[in-house]
């Protein structure tokens, strides 16, 4: 397989879509990785496996409608394998395997058949366990790679901080011709509306020269303003805290003029359509209860 990812919106040819099959029982509170999952565990509203399978099948059907080749991970019994973006990502023709939370290592093993189709010299993994990067924090945009990080002194004790400055440096060294720009994100282990788990929870390019952006996701006002000015105020859809919580910035592009979005994102979907973008609406609200949505559960392999 010849990988190729230069941006977030070019025509999609091949993608890894996670799976909700055999995702295991409702986790114990201490096993949850994020505050939104904890909310739903406590409320008794944690998503059911059959509902999440239905939602992911809806996305699979959209991909097939547009002729996209869809890969799925090998199913590991009683293992949550929904969020494929966390464990690996592609920049240019390189597959970077993340140093993820130790409990999630089996998810990488489940990709062995897919990884086996990639030339060995195109596969990279940070050489030290202290180098942290997850795919949700990495947004490729032509000459730029935008990276979410967390610069707080409590990084090592903050389970919702997934990419550190060593990870940013690793990408800068791996792609010396790219402009790698980091953004310091707000984190909260207790309040989901205050937690930008990954960069794609508060920012994503869409269409041609447009973007979705959440101001409060950034610890520094200058980071928000950089992106606002980079894309231009008239080209940015700014989402509020509730929309960030619902994961409005975590949609997924099949082409510049075709986007997969959650059916309840009324305001966002209308905005997208106002620019002539086709919005393929799917149900994904159950998966969103785990603080991830469409971008989190997909890992593009080839865009042209």
């Amino acid at each position: 397989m010849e990988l190729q990812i230069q941006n977030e919106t070019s025509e999609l040819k091949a993608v890894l879509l996670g799976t909700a099959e055999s995702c295991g029982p409702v986790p114990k509170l201490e096993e949850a990785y994020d505050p939104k999952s904890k909310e739903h565990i406590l409320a008794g509203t944690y998503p059911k496996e059959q509902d999440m399978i239905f939602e992911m099948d809806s996305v699979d059907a959209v991909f097939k409608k547009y002729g996209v080749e869809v890969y799925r991970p090998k199913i590991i019994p009683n293992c949550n394998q929904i969020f494929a973006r966390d464990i690996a990502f592609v920049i240019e023709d390189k597959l970077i395997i993340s140093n993820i939370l130790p409990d999630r290592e089996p998810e990488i093993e489940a990709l062995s058949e897919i990884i086996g189709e990639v030339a060995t010299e195109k596969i990279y993994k940070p050489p030290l366990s202290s180098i942290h990067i997850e795919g949700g924090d990495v947004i490729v945009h032509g000459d730029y790679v935008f990276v979410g990080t967390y610069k707080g002194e409590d990084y090592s004790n903050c389970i919702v901080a997934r990419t550190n400055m060593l990870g940013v440096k690793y990408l800068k060294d791996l792609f010396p011709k790219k402009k790698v720009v980091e953004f310091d994100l707000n984190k909260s282990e207790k309040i989901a509306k205050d937690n930008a788990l990954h960069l794609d929870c508060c920012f994503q390019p869409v269409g041609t020269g447009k973007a979705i952006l959440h101001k409060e996701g950034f610890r520094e006002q200058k980071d928000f303003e950089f992106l606002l000015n980079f894309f231009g105020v008239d080209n940015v859809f700014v989402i509020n805290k509730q929309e960030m919580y619902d994961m409005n910035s975590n949609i997924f592009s099949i082409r510049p003029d075709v986007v997969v979005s959650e059916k309840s994102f009324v305001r966002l979907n209308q905005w997208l359509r106002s620019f002539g973008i086709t919005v393929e609406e799917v149900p994904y609200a159950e998966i969103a209860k785990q603080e991830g949505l469409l971008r989190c559960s997909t890992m593009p392999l080839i865009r042209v």
Side-chain angles (χ1 to χ4, degrees):
M1 184 190 309
E2 295 185 6
L3 304 172
Q4 192 56 241
I5 298 294
Q6 296 287 355
N7 56 53
E8 301 291 323
T9 60
S10 292
E11 184 175 358
L12 183 70
K13 289 298 184 181
V15 66
L16 169 68
L17 174 65
T19 180
E21 291 190 41
S22 192
C23 62
V26 175
K28 297 175 183 177
L29 193 62
E30 61 271 19
E31 295 173 335
Y33 298 128
D34 64 90
K36 196 171 181 183
S37 292
K38 291 177 182 177
E39 280 184 16
H40 288 286
I41 292 169
L42 288 170
T45 54
Y46 194 81
K48 296 180 173 63
E49 180 177 305
Q50 63 266 31
D51 294 334
M52 294 190 291
I53 290 173
F54 172 77
E55 290 183 343
M56 300 196 83
D57 285 348
S58 300
V59 176
D60 190 26
V62 173
F63 286 150
K64 287 173 180 172
K65 173 182 174 180
Y66 286 91
V68 177
E69 186 172 6
V70 181
Y71 293 82
R72 307 299 291 269
K74 186 173 93 174
I75 295 169
I76 303 170
N78 296 313
C79 178
N80 188 330
Q81 297 174 262
I82 293 171
F83 298 119
R85 183 81 63 155
D86 291 354
I87 57 178
F89 56 96
V90 177
I91 300 178
E92 295 180 344
D93 60 352
K94 297 177 175 62
L95 175 67
I96 297 115
I97 298 173
S98 307
N99 279 334
I100 57 174
L101 297 169
D103 291 348
R104 299 185 63 185
E105 284 291 338
E107 292 180 61
I108 295 175
E109 295 170 15
L111 301 183
S112 58
E113 291 183 9
I114 299 166
I115 293 172
E117 293 189 30
V118 179
T120 304
E121 66 270 17
K122 298 295 184 181
I123 301 171
Y124 294 79
K125 185 171 184 179
L128 302 174
S129 61
S130 57
I131 300 173
H132 302 161
I133 322 169
E134 288 192 353
D137 275 323
V138 180
I139 292 178
V140 186
H141 191 74
D143 293 336
Y144 286 82
V145 179
F146 300 127
V147 188
T149 187
Y150 178 60
K151 299 179 182 178
E153 293 181 0
D154 60 338
Y155 175 90
S156 60
N157 296 317
C158 184
I159 198 169
V160 292
R162 303 296 176 77
T163 299
N164 60 12
M165 286 302 294
L166 289 175
V168 175
K169 183 181 184 302
Y170 177 79
L171 290 179
K172 287 181 177 180
D173 292 342
L174 191 58
F175 299 97
K177 294 182 180 179
K178 295 280 192 186
K179 299 170 186 174
V180 178
V181 183
E182 79 267 11
F183 302 94
D184 194 7
L185 304 181
N186 275 318
K187 304 288 181 179
S188 174
E189 295 185 39
K190 296 181 179 179
I191 303 172
K193 287 184 179 178
D194 292 340
N195 182 48
L197 186 63
H198 291 118
L199 181 58
D200 61 14
C201 294
C202 57
F203 161 64
Q204 186 176 179
V206 66
T208 302
K210 296 174 175 54
I212 306 164
L213 198 55
H214 176 59
K215 181 179 181 180
E216 289 85 356
F218 301 89
R219 295 179 77 201
E220 299 280 348
Q221 172 76 15
K222 65 178 178 60
D223 286 350
F224 169 77
E225 290 177 353
F226 172 88
L227 290 169
L228 193 66
N229 294 328
F230 184 93
F231 288 92
V233 175
D234 294 338
N235 294 317
V236 172
F237 184 83
V238 178
I239 58 177
N240 58 39
K241 273 198 173 188
Q242 182 62 47
E243 289 169 326
M244 190 280 290
Y245 175 84
D246 293 334
M247 309 300 294
N248 275 233
S249 66
N250 208 264
I251 60 174
F252 186 77
S253 295
I254 294 178
R255 299 193 313 235
D257 61 345
V258 179
V259 166
V260 189
S261 180
E262 218 290 327
K263 64 180 183 179
S264 67
F265 296 170
V266 176
R267 195 171 78 91
L268 171 63
N269 294 345
Q270 287 177 344
W271 181 79
L272 292 168
R273 290 187 177 110
S274 74
F275 294 103
I277 296 172
T278 297
V279 181
E280 295 284 355
E281 295 186 348
V282 296
Y284 232 61
E286 291 303 304
I287 285 172
K289 291 177 179 179
Q290 297 178 78
E291 209 157 343
L293 205 81
L294 291 153
R295 190 178 188 273
C296 289
S297 59
T298 51
M299 196 261 281
L301 301 166
I302 302 170
R303 290 187 185 272
V304 298

